[in-house]
Amino acid sequence: YEIRLSLVGSEMCIRDRVSTQSTGSLQPEPTTHPFKMPKFDKLNTPEGLDALNKYLVDYSYVEGYVLSAADFESHANAGSAPDSKKYPNAARWYNHISSYSTEERKVFGVGAAAPAATPAAAPAKGGDDDFDLWEETAEDEAHAAEMERKAQEALKKKAASGKVVVGKSTVVLDVKPWDDTTDMVKLEENVRSIIREGLTWGKGQLVEVGYGIKKLQISAVVVDELVSVDEISERIQEFEDFVQSVDVAAFNKL
């Protein structure tokens, strides 16, 4: 047996590949059920997803604890990945069923999976057309513009005061990994290895994003005349095996 495991609801899904010396083919597991299995035929509605989500608290698959054609049929009916915050069990089940290949589906008498309207997996490294979990939105751009406006106002106030001061700023950077397999400890070590006159690293923490992925949120104090935040961001992105992108989450003049 070659066994692949995936958590669905409160149970562990076990995908058994029963292989022979001649074919090595996947065989559906025969099963009997002591009760009549429910049918989930409205998975494109909140009511249907809620019913499936509650059912998967106790079961791994649509027909209990064994994968069947009903899982693939229900997966197709859902059309897209459920909201992981509203329907966590259903979302895990959907992602699990999505992982089966076309050849594996044929064993159960079903064809290839239909393209999902909302991708369920984290972005693959280096793909131009892949779903981008970190895609910037109009809200992100507005936030950046507002931070820039506040920074300029602070500079004008200091200039008007006539005091000679060393300009400093606090910055919080969001450092985003490629996927949930990225070594976040090593990623933070790489970031802190960047040393510049006028740069002082502060607190760092991992923030949950989704799909098991966490980003590093790290603060720093910079001397404006000595350190460019853009330069630091570009330097961090040079750790391309770990870093997918870097964004300025907060920026304030001291």
Side-chain angles (χ1 to χ4, degrees):
Y1 285 86
E2 178 188 345
I3 302 176
R4 285 190 281 175
L5 306 178
S6 176
L7 291 177
V8 177
S10 62
E11 300 293 337
M12 181 173 292
C13 298
I14 303 180
R15 296 171 56 173
D16 290 341
R17 278 181 165 167
V18 182
S19 61
T20 65
Q21 293 181 352
S22 58
T23 63
S25 60
L26 175 69
Q27 300 295 329
E29 180 76 12
T31 183
T32 57
H33 303 293
F35 58 93
K36 184 177 180 180
M37 293 297 173
K39 184 175 179 60
F40 302 99
D41 54 2
K42 296 181 180 180
L43 296 181
N44 58 343
T45 67
E47 293 78 10
L49 286 174
D50 185 61
L52 177 63
N53 189 67
K54 291 178 180 178
Y55 174 79
L56 292 174
V57 170
D58 297 314
Y59 298 99
S60 302
Y61 297 101
V62 169
E63 292 192 348
Y65 301 105
V66 179
L67 179 68
S68 68
D71 289 284
F72 298 105
E73 293 171 2
S74 299
H75 179 274
N77 290 335
S80 62
D83 186 325
S84 60
K85 292 183 179 179
K86 292 182 180 179
Y87 315 106
N89 301 321
R92 284 192 290 270
W93 165 84
Y94 185 94
N95 293 345
H96 177 63
I97 301 304
S98 297
S99 71
Y100 283 89
S101 68
T102 301
E103 291 301 316
E104 290 172 323
R105 291 166 184 267
K106 287 181 181 178
V107 175
F108 294 88
V110 295
T118 303
K125 183 176 179 179
D128 293 334
D129 297 326
D130 295 324
F131 169 59
D132 187 359
L133 187 64
W134 313 116
E135 183 178 4
E136 290 190 1
T137 64
E139 184 178 350
D140 295 329
E141 294 176 358
H143 176 62
E146 178 64 13
M147 288 193 296
E148 178 63 22
R149 184 188 66 79
K150 290 181 178 180
Q152 292 301 323
E153 287 182 356
L155 284 174
K156 291 178 181 179
K157 289 179 179 179
K158 285 187 176 182
S161 68
K163 296 180 179 179
V164 178
V165 295
V166 177
K168 291 185 179 181
S169 303
T170 60
V171 61
V172 177
L173 300 176
D174 280 346
V175 185
K176 301 164 184 176
W178 286 106
D179 52 36
D180 59 346
T181 65
T182 301
D183 186 338
M184 298 303 293
V185 173
K186 183 63 177 177
L187 186 152
E188 182 172 354
E189 289 177 356
N190 288 335
V191 171
R192 293 184 181 276
S193 71
I194 300 173
I195 300 174
R196 294 283 190 281
E197 182 182 359
L199 170 64
T200 304
W201 292 111
K203 179 183 177 181
Q205 62 179 348
L206 297 181
V207 179
E208 188 77 32
V209 176
Y211 304 106
I213 300 175
K214 295 181 180 181
K215 65 182 178 181
L216 170 64
Q217 194 168 78
I218 187 168
S219 63
V221 175
V222 299
V223 176
D224 298 332
E225 293 184 356
L226 300 176
V227 179
S228 165
V229 175
D230 288 340
E231 180 186 351
I232 296 301
S233 297
E234 291 173 1
R235 179 67 182 84
I236 293 174
Q237 290 187 92
E238 291 179 5
F239 299 111
E240 56 186 16
D241 289 338
F242 298 89
V243 179
Q244 197 254 20
S245 64
V246 180
D247 292 322
V248 178
F251 185 89
N252 295 286
K253 293 290 183 180
L254 295 178

